[in-house]
Amino acid sequence: MNLPQSVKIVEVGPRDGLQNEKQSIDASVKIELVNKLTDAGITYIEAGSFVNPKWVPQMAGSEDVFTGIPRQEGITYAALTPNLKGYQRALDVKATEVAIFAAASEAFSQKNINCSIAESLERFKPVMEAAKADGIAVRGYVSCVLGCPYQGEVEPAKVAEVTAALLDMGCYEVSLGDTIGVGTPLKVSQLIKTVSETVATEQLAMHFHDTYGQALANTLAALQQGVQVYDSSIGGLGGCPYAAGASGNVATEDLVYMLSGMNIQHGVDLDRLIDAGNFICQQLGRSNGSKVAKAKTGK
Ligand code: HMG
Ligand code: MG
């Protein structure tokens, strides 16, 4: 089997995991979570987003999170930014890098960012120009790559087109989001094959939500296609506010356990990771969504 020797884990829990939470979470809790994640060996963390606070109230305090994190060398503290205003907010609090987010579904693009796919790409251009001038790296996302909550089927060719557009405008990597977790392994393989006809597999990351329990199986399919970057959320926290019923990303603990079992390097200490997951789940007053954490600690 042709598998990568190592992968990079992008921890999205503090952003994708917490953005949907209705209860208010103090910035100090988010900061402690970020610190615990880096202590566990996570080197890339999406720590918040700079979107319209009326749309996603939980992320309104992202400034306090970014300014409160004691920065460590070699760690990327990234922020999600939908437009130039968001980019400037992120830059003001010294986000290490930013991510722009588009969709492969017109209907989702309208619901999530209030514009068409084409308009979103136009909106990203000034962000890309500013980031280039400031020397800030930009990651891209494409949502709904395996299905859309509003329009259903999404063509892999459309995913390929939007992915190529984001890379062409200067993103160094594009994360393919199964926003509502409907994908299954053979569809994942086919999607990556199609997208890789126009872009290098090395520039792809996968972002699997686990709504239908397919995320680890889909990860295996993507590993077999040579993808080396995976987004995951501590404790399996999360969901997208504009995708009803969507649950969190694959739990980072479960991803790490699977990678270790396959002798794929990831650089993360599982026990410390589980501590980080139990910490935030306790703060939220719920049980840990990671099966591995539950199996190892009974929480
Ligand atoms: P809009 O309403 O079309 O924006 O929203 P607008 O430019 O017309 O501005 C309207 C108001 O928003 C103005 O304020 C702006 O100043 C303000 P007002 O004059 O009414 O007081 N505004 C902002 N304020 C703070 N920061 C900003 C900002 N931009 C405008 N950056 C917009 C367009 C994109 C801003 C809005 O639709 C939005 O914020 N959407 C957020 C969507 C979101 O965060 N979704 C969840 C994250 S994406 C996700 O989870 C998927 C992913 O995980 C991958 C996957 O799973 O597929 C990444
Ligand atoms: Mg997501």
Side-chain angles (χ1 to χ4, degrees):
M1 212 189 285
N2 202 6
L3 293 168
Q5 289 186 340
S6 67
V7 304
K8 176 173 145 190
I9 294 177
V10 169
E11 170 60 51
V12 295
R15 194 278 305 170
D16 207 344
L18 298 182
Q19 70 182 6
N20 218 15
E21 286 294 328
K22 300 282 174 281
Q23 58 182 299
S24 102
I25 307 164
D26 207 77
S28 63
V29 171
K30 296 180 183 174
I31 293 164
E32 191 166 348
L33 173 62
V34 168
N35 290 339
K36 284 182 183 295
L37 289 164
T38 49
D39 285 351
I42 297 281
T43 55
Y44 189 115
I45 303 191
E46 206 170 70
S49 69
F50 296 97
V51 299
N52 183 344
K54 286 187 195 136
W55 286 54
V56 186
Q58 185 58 253
M59 289 292 121
S62 288
E63 269 90 357
D64 295 337
V65 177
F66 275 87
T67 48
I69 299 168
R71 304 297 174 96
Q72 286 183 49
E73 215 167 309
I75 309 288
T76 301
Y77 303 95
L80 202 65
T81 55
N83 52 19
L84 199 53
K85 180 163 190 171
Y87 171 78
Q88 272 151 3
R89 288 175 61 202
L91 197 70
D92 285 348
V93 292
K94 298 190 170 47
T96 328
E97 49 174 81
V98 299
I100 55 176
F101 49 110
S105 142
E106 285 293 351
F108 187 82
S109 185
Q110 289 290 351
K111 294 270 184 197
N112 194 39
I113 49 175
N114 209 20
C115 63
S116 69
I117 298 169
E119 282 164 349
S120 74
L121 296 174
E122 280 302 311
R123 215 181 250 180
F124 297 146
K125 279 185 188 160
V127 176
M128 298 307 301
E129 275 163 27
K132 195 173 174 196
D134 298 330
I136 299 283
V138 185
R139 192 172 193 247
Y141 279 104
V142 181
S143 284
C144 298
V145 300
L146 291 155
C148 167
Y150 309 107
Q151 76 174 46
E153 292 288 311
V154 172
E155 286 299 318
K158 187 69 192 174
V159 180
E161 183 192 315
V162 180
T163 304
L166 290 173
L167 290 171
D168 282 351
M169 66 171 63
C171 291
Y172 70 89
E173 173 178 291
V174 171
S175 178
L176 304 181
D178 184 7
T179 316
I180 50 171
V182 288
T184 43
L186 296 184
K187 286 194 177 148
V188 170
S189 303
Q190 195 49 57
L191 174 71
I192 295 168
K193 275 189 198 144
T194 303
V195 176
S196 298
E197 281 165 17
T198 35
V199 311
T201 312
E202 293 73 34
Q203 288 186 292
L204 297 178
M206 300 309 294
H207 180 102
F208 293 120
H209 283 264
D210 200 27
T211 319
Y212 288 79
Q214 304 296 303
L216 281 181
N218 289 342
T219 300
L220 177 58
L223 285 166
Q224 288 169 335
Q225 293 300 322
V227 177
Q228 286 189 291
V229 185
Y230 292 87
D231 302 355
S232 61
S233 176
I234 189 73
L237 294 174
C240 177
Y242 298 99
S247 57
N249 294 80
V250 63
T252 312
E253 300 91 319
D254 298 359
L255 175 65
V256 161
Y257 179 86
M258 184 176 99
L259 294 172
S260 296
M262 295 170 71
N263 290 323
I264 297 174
Q265 307 286 316
H266 48 71
V268 180
D269 179 311
L270 181 58
D271 290 329
R272 286 184 168 201
L273 194 63
I274 289 173
D275 285 346
N278 283 340
F279 161 76
I280 188 65
C281 291
Q282 195 186 5
Q283 292 289 328
L284 297 173
R286 68 178 61 143
S287 64
N288 196 319
S290 153
K291 288 204 174 218
V292 169
K294 270 201 189 106
K296 284 178 82 85
T297 64
K299 288 189 184 160

